[in-house]
Amino acid sequence: IAFEAMSWDEARTYSQQVLAQKPDDVTMQAIMAGIAYREAVVAKDTDAIARAATEERRLLAENPGLMTARRVVIADALREGDLEGALKTTDEGLAQKPDDRDLNNTRLVLLERMGRDADLEAHVLAMLGMFPKDEELGQVLVRFYVSRGRIDDAEKTLRSHVDPNSDKADPRLVLLRFLAEVRSTEAIRDELAQVLAQTPLPKDVAANPVPFYILKAQADYMLGDRDKAMADLEGHIKGAEPSVDVDRMKIQLAKLRVGTGNIVGARALVEEVLAHDQNQTEAMKMKAEWLTQEDKTDEAVALLTVRLLPSVPDHRSIHHN
C-alpha cells in the first residue's frame, strides 16, 4: 500500500522488516527493486537503473503474477522508447488480470502513442464493458472520435449514455453541449424542442428542467426568435414562488432583455432576484455594472465587497477575557 501510494520511505521500512524475517519474499524484493529503480531514475544513474530493471525482469520472469515488478518493467520499456516491449508486457499482465485498471489505462496510452487507432477504439469499447459506470471512458471515446473526424460516432456514443429513466441530467447536458459546439445552434434547438415537447418529460429532464429551459431560450434567441425565447422564460417564471431555479431563469431573461434594449425590464428582474437572495452572484454583477455606467462606482464596489466579507458573528457569542 505504501509503495502504491508513493510513500517510499514507509515502503522501504516495511519491506526491510519483512525481508529480515522472510528474505525470499518476492513481493518485498520487487518493492525494494522498484524503490531502487525510482531513485536511480531521479539520480540519472544509468548503471543503477539497469541493475534495478534487470532485477525486476528476473523477478517477473520467475513470478508472472508479480504486478509490482511488471509495472516497473513496463515503465523501463517506456523510458527506453520500447513501445512494443511495453505493450507486450502489458498484454501479458492483462491476460492474468483483465480487469486491472492501471494496466488497461497503460494499454490505452501505448496504443495511442503507437497510432493503432483500430486497436485503441476496440480497447476503449472493451473497457466500457468492464467499467460501465466510468463516465470518463465515454469521454475518452468521444474525444477519440472527434479527433478523427468521426462526429456521428461521437454523437452516437454520447446518446448511448443518456438514460431518460434516470434522474441524472448530466449525460443529456453533455450531449447538448456537444451538439452546440460540434454541430450547430439549430441542432441543439431542435434537440431541445423535441425533448421538451414530450409528455411526460423524460425523467432526467423532469428532475431538473431549468437548465434545459435556459438552453432552449438561448438557442431560440441566438437564432433570431427573440420574442419566443423571452416569452418561454416568462411563462416558466410567471406565478412561480421565488427559488434558486427561478432566480436563474430571471437572470437569463434579464440578459436577453438587455440584448433587446429593454434595460428597465432587465433591472426589474435583477431587483426581484436580489430581493430574494441579496448574494446572488450574477444579479450582483449586473447591478454593479449598471451602477458603474452611471458613475456610481463607490456603490458598485460596496455591492460587490459585501460578498467578499466574512460573516460577522453575533456579539452575544463573543466572550471577552
Side-chain angles (χ1 to χ4, degrees):
I1 292 173
F3 184 80
E4 291 181 1
M6 295 185 291
S7 298
W8 312 117
D9 291 340
E10 289 185 44
R12 187 200 316 275
T13 297
Y14 295 135
S15 296
Q16 288 173 338
Q17 290 175 357
V18 174
L19 288 169
Q21 301 295 321
K22 299 179 179 180
D24 295 330
D25 190 306
V26 293
T27 300
M28 297 303 105
Q29 290 175 8
I31 288 176
M32 290 300 292
I35 293 171
Y37 180 84
R38 173 189 174 275
E39 291 175 343
V41 170
V42 171
K44 298 181 180 179
D45 185 336
T46 54
D47 290 339
I49 291 174
R51 287 195 299 272
T54 297
E55 174 65 3
E56 292 287 35
R57 282 193 287 271
R58 180 190 70 80
L59 289 167
L60 182 59
E62 297 174 358
N63 308 274
L66 199 54
M67 289 300 166
T68 301
R70 186 173 298 280
R71 290 186 173 93
V72 175
V73 172
I74 293 169
D76 191 57
L78 283 168
R79 185 187 63 82
E80 293 183 339
D82 181 11
L83 299 183
E84 290 289 352
L87 182 60
K88 180 176 181 294
T89 305
T90 300
D91 285 345
E92 289 170 351
L94 286 170
Q96 298 182 60
K97 294 186 66 177
D99 60 347
D100 186 293
R101 187 56 189 270
D102 287 339
L103 289 176
N104 275 286
N105 288 344
T106 299
R107 192 169 196 272
L108 282 181
V109 172
L110 289 168
L111 293 172
E112 171 73 20
R113 290 190 185 181
M114 298 167 77
R116 292 171 53 172
D117 284 1
D119 291 333
L120 176 60
E121 179 183 0
H123 189 56
V124 177
L125 291 171
M127 287 182 68
L128 282 167
M130 287 187 285
F131 313 107
K133 295 183 179 180
D134 191 324
E135 295 180 3
E136 178 59 27
L137 280 174
Q139 294 304 311
V140 169
L141 186 60
V142 169
R143 288 194 293 271
F144 168 78
Y145 285 143
V146 171
S147 68
R148 272 64 175 180
R150 296 170 58 181
I151 305 304
D152 290 345
D153 288 330
E155 181 178 333
K156 181 179 178 181
T157 298
L158 289 174
R159 287 189 182 281
S160 71
H161 288 101
V162 175
D163 182 0
N165 295 313
S166 165
D167 59 2
K168 191 173 182 181
D170 286 348
R172 194 183 296 273
L173 289 170
V174 169
L175 170 64
L176 291 169
R177 285 194 291 271
F178 171 84
L179 294 175
E181 294 172 10
V182 180
R183 294 295 193 190
S184 65
T185 304
E186 288 89 346
I188 185 175
R189 189 270 314 277
D190 294 345
E191 181 78 14
L192 282 162
Q194 182 271 325
V195 170
L196 293 174
Q198 295 180 34
T199 304
L201 288 173
K203 190 175 179 181
D204 62 320
V205 176
N208 185 17
V210 170
F212 300 96
Y213 294 152
I214 290 175
L215 285 172
K216 177 63 163 53
Q218 289 173 335
D220 284 333
Y221 189 89
M222 290 174 64
L223 291 170
D225 203 346
R226 295 184 170 189
D227 291 340
K228 175 174 174 50
M230 291 186 287
D232 284 347
L233 285 178
E234 288 166 354
H236 295 308
I237 293 168
K238 187 177 180 180
E241 292 295 322
S243 68
V244 172
D245 283 339
V246 170
D247 286 347
R248 290 173 61 195
M249 288 189 287
K250 286 182 177 180
I251 290 299
Q252 184 59 46
L253 179 56
K255 291 178 179 178
L256 299 187
R257 285 180 175 177
V258 168
T260 61
N262 184 4
I263 306 300
V264 173
R267 286 192 170 194
L269 287 169
V270 167
E271 292 299 338
E272 287 179 17
V273 172
L274 290 173
H276 172 244
D277 180 2
Q278 62 181 349
N279 292 318
Q280 214 279 353
T281 303
E282 290 300 313
M284 292 174 68
K285 288 180 180 178
M286 293 181 74
K287 184 172 182 177
E289 183 177 351
W290 288 323
L291 289 171
T292 301
Q293 292 171 356
E294 297 171 355
D295 292 328
K296 297 178 180 179
T297 307
D298 290 343
E299 291 182 40
V301 171
L303 177 66
L304 295 176
T305 302
V306 169
R307 184 168 178 80
L308 301 177
L309 293 175
S311 58
V312 179
D314 190 303
H315 69 89
R316 290 169 295 182
S317 67
I318 301 175
H319 299 283
H320 299 281
N321 294 326

